[in-house]
Structures are given as C-alpha cells and as structure tokens.
Amino acid sequence: MNINDYIRATKRNIYALKPECLEDGYTLECLSALASSVDASIIVKPIFSTSIFPEMVYLNGVAYLLWDLHFWEIYKTILINGFFLYENEELLEKPHKFSSNMINCITNRHRLMLLDVLTSKLDKHPQVAYRLAQEQYYYRELLKREKGYNFEYSFDEKKSIEISQTIFYSKLFVLMHEIHHDYFKKDKKYHSDAILFQQTVAEVFMDNVDFRETTVNNRTIKSLNMRAYENQETLEESACDLGAFKLVYKFLLMVNSDLSPEVILEWLYNAFATCIYTVETFNFVTFFWSEMVSKFKEYYQEGGLILDDVIKKIETYEANAQNRLTFLSFAIYADLFHTGVEVSKNLFRKGDKISRFISVFAKDFLDSKYVAVIHHEAQNLKTKKSSPKFFRESINLILGNPYE
C-alpha cells in the first residue's frame, strides 16, 4: 500500500487540491528543515479531509505527515478570535457595553467553527452530519448577508505580525510533537527520562517561592509526580510537548535574530497553549455528540445516568489540557532558569487566556436538548433513496469548496 492508497482507504478527502494550494512554500520548507535537524526524514503530505487532525503515517519504511489543512483553516480563525477577545475581555464579562451585533457575530463565528468540526467528525452518522451541515450553511450565510451584523477585526501591524508568527510557530510545534511521539514509543530511555524530568520539575518548582506564588497552588505541582506513574497517556503527551517546545525554541532562536528570546518564548507558549486547548476542545465536543447520538435511545430510557457519565469524561479532557499546560509552564521555567533568559511571571498569562476562549463557546454545544432536536430532524430526512453516500455527497454540495 502506498500513501495515496492509505489516504483513500482511511480518509474522506473533501477536496483533492495541489499541495501549493494548501500551504505556502516557506512553511513547508521550514517543516522539512526542522525535521531534518533532528534526523527525522519526513514527507509532508498536504490534504484536506474530515479527519481534521494532522497524523504521522509510516509506510514501506517512509514517514509521512498527513498535513490536514482543514485543521489549520479552523485554527487560524480560532487564534484571531482569541487575540481579539484578549484585547476586549469585557466583551465576555460585561457584554452590555457592546453592541448586540458584535456579540452575535463573535458567538456565531465560534459556532460556525464547531459546527464544521462536528459535521466532519460525525461522519459515521451521515444524517446527523448532513443536518449539522445545514446549520453550518445557515450561520455562514447569516454572517455574509446581514447588514451591520458582520465586522472585520482590526489589528495594528505589530499585532498582525504576532498573530501570523503564532500560527507559524503552532505548525512547527505540531510537527515536532508528532515526531516525539515516535521517540517515546521506540526509545525506553526517552520514557524513563520523561518520568525523571517530571520529578526534577516538581523539585525546582517547590524550591522557588517567587514562581510558585505567581502560578497555581502547591497541590497542583505535587500531582506531577503522581501523574508520571498513574497516567501513561498524560506522561507521553507532556513529554512530547516539552520535547517539541525545546527543539522549536532552539530552531527559532537561529532563524529569528531580530527577535529577543523573551518575545520568541512568549509567542511560542501562546502557540502551544492554543494548539493544546483547541485539540482538547474539539475532542470533548466531538465525544459528547458521538456518545449522545450513538446512545440516543438509552439516553431517553436511562435519563441523566448516561449524561452524567459523558460529562465526567468531558471533565477529563479539560483537566488533561490544564495538566499539560501546567507541566509545560513549570518545565520551561525549570529548563531556562539557569540560561539567563528572563522567565517573567506574566509570560504564560496571555497564552493561557487566549487558549481558553474556544472552550468557553464550546460549552453551548454540550446541550442534550440541542442534540435531541438535531437527531430528530436528521431521522426525518431518511428516505428509501437516502444512503450514507447520498448524505456525504450532499454535505459537500451544501458547503462548497472553501478555496474557491
């Protein structure tokens, strides 16, 4: 099986586009250069599919990174929204100070992104996915046609550069994170070193009162050692996060001589935090809908029992994102403590806030009544001629080609 056969067998490509349409040459060049710097020979294969997340594939001794531009299209919008909300925090805290048009526009932009994710991720339930695609189309058209309803974000040149660089840093992070998963699985020493480093981070943190008082309480850091042994998945993700961070940071210091280490450090953390929270948010929203749709009859028979179980699982997704960022911020401090780079107590504040905005809006989708309405309407779409293939093809017709 070659890579194209693998894609056809495992992915539902929405659009077969030329690589140059999917990613700029400079980004692809940097991805390859960064991979080569750690002796990882990887072919970046751009696709646009319903899988959304980038994926490492090994076939016939060759490593491929399936670079799903569907994810990066959504991610760019999330990041821009996050920067705007960071500069206008009162919009969420005191919405009465802003116009209803602005509030509705921002809310529906987030709704549109999450509907895009669900339409793709619920591919195994084509009727529900089709109904969600109709919702997606409705909100997309609403943002286009309503006079005074839509508005463009306005950033100065400095902020625009920061946003574009943060997106670029995010792509480098995802590449190196995936490469480190391979290290973790193949190298037992890498696994033992990860446990040892978590213990070291905990010790450095507990010895530094100033840093400890500006982050979180002692109970959180004490849990690092426990997680190193109890949760293999969290340990691996944390190790890959940190390994990726260190290599990308080193790479950016070489290619960005006009930026200070402190600026690179802040922008890089913003990128990591937003990436991590975006992925975990997509995961818990998709999990909620998949479970509720799959167990729809049981839900109405057993009522809140199933819903309680689903909510508990969602809480683990959110806790996982928080644990990864907590460990990463401590680890950065421990690793750079003796290098002369100033690790300010405010370094992580911006990234932590920007990254969490998407999860705030995602809570609107954790509504069993909304699932019930969509599920009921989807069932009414069924006809003798309406096969899963029919619904999947209809979704493409509804949403069109985003690159046209």
Side-chain angles (χ1 to χ4, degrees):
M1 176 183 287
N2 61 35
I3 188 61
N4 292 325
D5 292 334
Y6 175 86
I7 293 172
R8 281 192 290 269
T10 62
K11 309 285 181 185
R12 188 167 71 81
N13 266 332
I14 302 177
Y15 307 107
L17 300 175
K18 295 179 181 179
E20 57 266 27
C21 297
L22 291 169
E23 190 64 274
D24 66 271
Y26 176 75
T27 299
L28 290 175
E29 183 180 332
C30 285
L31 292 174
S32 298
L34 185 55
S36 298
S37 70
V38 291
D39 297 323
S41 179
I42 291 174
I43 297 176
V44 180
K45 183 77 172 178
I47 63 172
F48 191 107
S49 79
T50 55
S51 295
I52 295 181
F53 297 133
E55 177 190 355
M56 287 289 293
V57 177
Y58 299 89
L59 290 173
N60 306 319
V62 179
Y64 296 92
L65 175 60
L66 299 185
W67 198 245
D68 203 323
L69 264 291
H70 197 174
F71 174 80
W72 294 113
E73 180 186 73
I74 300 171
Y75 179 79
K76 178 180 179 180
T77 307
I78 287 174
L79 196 64
I80 292 173
N81 287 343
F83 270 88
F84 178 80
L85 288 169
Y86 180 78
E87 294 186 345
N88 298 273
E89 287 190 70
E90 283 193 331
L91 193 144
L92 295 178
E93 298 169 358
K94 300 176 182 179
H96 60 277
K97 290 188 174 183
F98 298 82
S99 70
S100 59
N101 283 342
M102 181 181 290
I103 299 294
N104 289 334
C105 182
I106 292 171
T107 300
N108 286 331
R109 281 177 175 175
H110 284 87
R111 183 178 285 127
L112 194 58
M113 288 183 289
L114 291 163
L115 283 169
D116 189 1
V117 172
L118 286 173
T119 300
S120 296
K121 287 297 188 179
L122 293 178
D123 193 50
K124 292 182 180 179
H125 306 281
Q127 289 166 239
V128 174
Y130 175 81
R131 181 63 193 86
L132 289 168
Q134 291 179 321
E135 290 275 287
Q136 189 179 340
Y137 178 80
Y138 167 77
Y139 286 109
R140 180 188 290 180
E141 292 302 304
L142 188 66
L143 287 170
K144 285 181 181 178
R145 70 172 182 265
E146 291 295 322
K147 186 176 181 180
Y149 189 71
N150 202 354
F151 74 99
E152 294 298 324
Y153 295 137
S154 179
F155 299 108
D156 59 30
E157 183 179 0
K158 183 178 179 181
K159 187 61 62 179
S160 297
I161 292 173
E162 181 180 352
I163 292 172
S164 64
Q165 286 295 92
T166 303
I167 294 170
F168 176 61
Y169 291 1
S170 299
K171 293 177 179 181
L172 299 181
F173 161 62
V174 169
L175 169 73
M176 293 310 303
H177 181 91
E178 293 302 321
I179 289 175
H180 275 78
H181 273 299
D182 190 50
Y183 292 165
F184 198 91
K185 291 171 183 175
K186 291 181 178 179
D187 190 341
K188 291 183 179 180
K189 186 177 184 302
Y190 192 90
H191 179 277
S192 59
D193 286 349
I195 294 177
L196 179 62
F197 190 76
Q198 282 212 7
Q199 294 171 327
T200 304
V201 168
E203 292 170 3
V204 170
F205 175 82
M206 293 307 295
D207 288 342
N208 192 278
V209 178
D210 180 61
F211 185 72
R212 184 171 70 241
E213 290 178 348
T214 62
T215 51
V216 295
N217 59 44
N218 293 349
R219 188 187 310 169
T220 303
I221 190 63
K222 288 178 180 177
S223 72
L224 284 174
N225 286 334
M226 295 298 293
R227 289 193 294 105
Y229 296 99
E230 290 180 354
N231 193 327
Q232 174 71 19
E233 182 179 350
T234 301
L235 171 64
E236 180 173 341
E237 290 298 333
S238 295
C240 293
D241 288 341
L242 181 60
F245 189 97
K246 291 169 71 173
L247 285 173
V248 174
Y249 177 63
K250 182 179 179 181
F251 176 79
L252 291 173
L253 286 176
M254 291 191 304
V255 299
N256 284 297
S257 57
D258 56 329
L259 294 176
S260 69
E262 290 77 17
V263 169
I264 292 175
L265 198 60
E266 180 184 344
W267 291 4
L268 187 54
Y269 182 79
N270 293 346
F272 277 36
T274 308
C275 259
I276 289 170
Y277 253 92
T278 296
V279 170
E280 294 297 345
T281 299
F282 288 179
N283 282 337
F284 77 64
V285 171
T286 301
F287 173 78
F288 179 83
W289 277 76
S290 296
E291 287 293 291
M292 296 302 292
V293 170
S294 300
K295 300 176 181 177
F296 192 75
K297 291 182 180 179
E298 293 92 325
Y299 168 69
Y300 274 95
Q301 290 171 356
E302 301 182 27
L305 294 177
I306 287 180
L307 186 58
D308 288 344
D309 290 341
V310 173
I311 294 299
K312 287 179 182 177
K313 178 65 175 176
I314 287 172
E315 290 173 352
T316 66
Y317 281 115
E318 293 185 280
N320 186 43
Q322 179 57 58
N323 284 339
R324 288 173 64 184
L325 289 181
T326 298
F327 173 70
L328 183 60
S329 61
F330 296 154
I332 293 169
Y333 181 82
D335 198 50
L336 298 178
F337 187 63
H338 300 294
T339 64
V341 175
E342 181 181 352
V343 184
S344 166
K345 63 182 181 181
N346 297 318
L347 172 67
F348 311 110
R349 186 172 298 167
K350 184 175 182 178
D352 286 342
K353 284 191 175 183
I354 290 174
S355 63
R356 284 165 173 73
F357 287 128
I358 181 61
S359 63
V360 171
F361 289 94
K363 298 297 174 64
D364 291 341
F365 281 80
L366 306 182
D367 183 350
S368 58
K369 292 181 180 179
Y370 184 34
V371 177
V373 170
I374 294 295
H375 185 273
H376 176 72
E377 293 174 350
Q379 296 309 303
N380 290 338
L381 295 171
K382 185 181 291 185
T383 67
K384 292 181 180 179
K385 295 182 180 180
S386 301
S387 64
K389 182 179 179 181
F390 166 81
F391 285 113
R392 291 188 177 108
E393 291 177 347
S394 298
I395 288 172
N396 288 353
L397 291 174
I398 289 174
L399 301 180
N401 188 333
Y403 287 93
E404 288 182 344

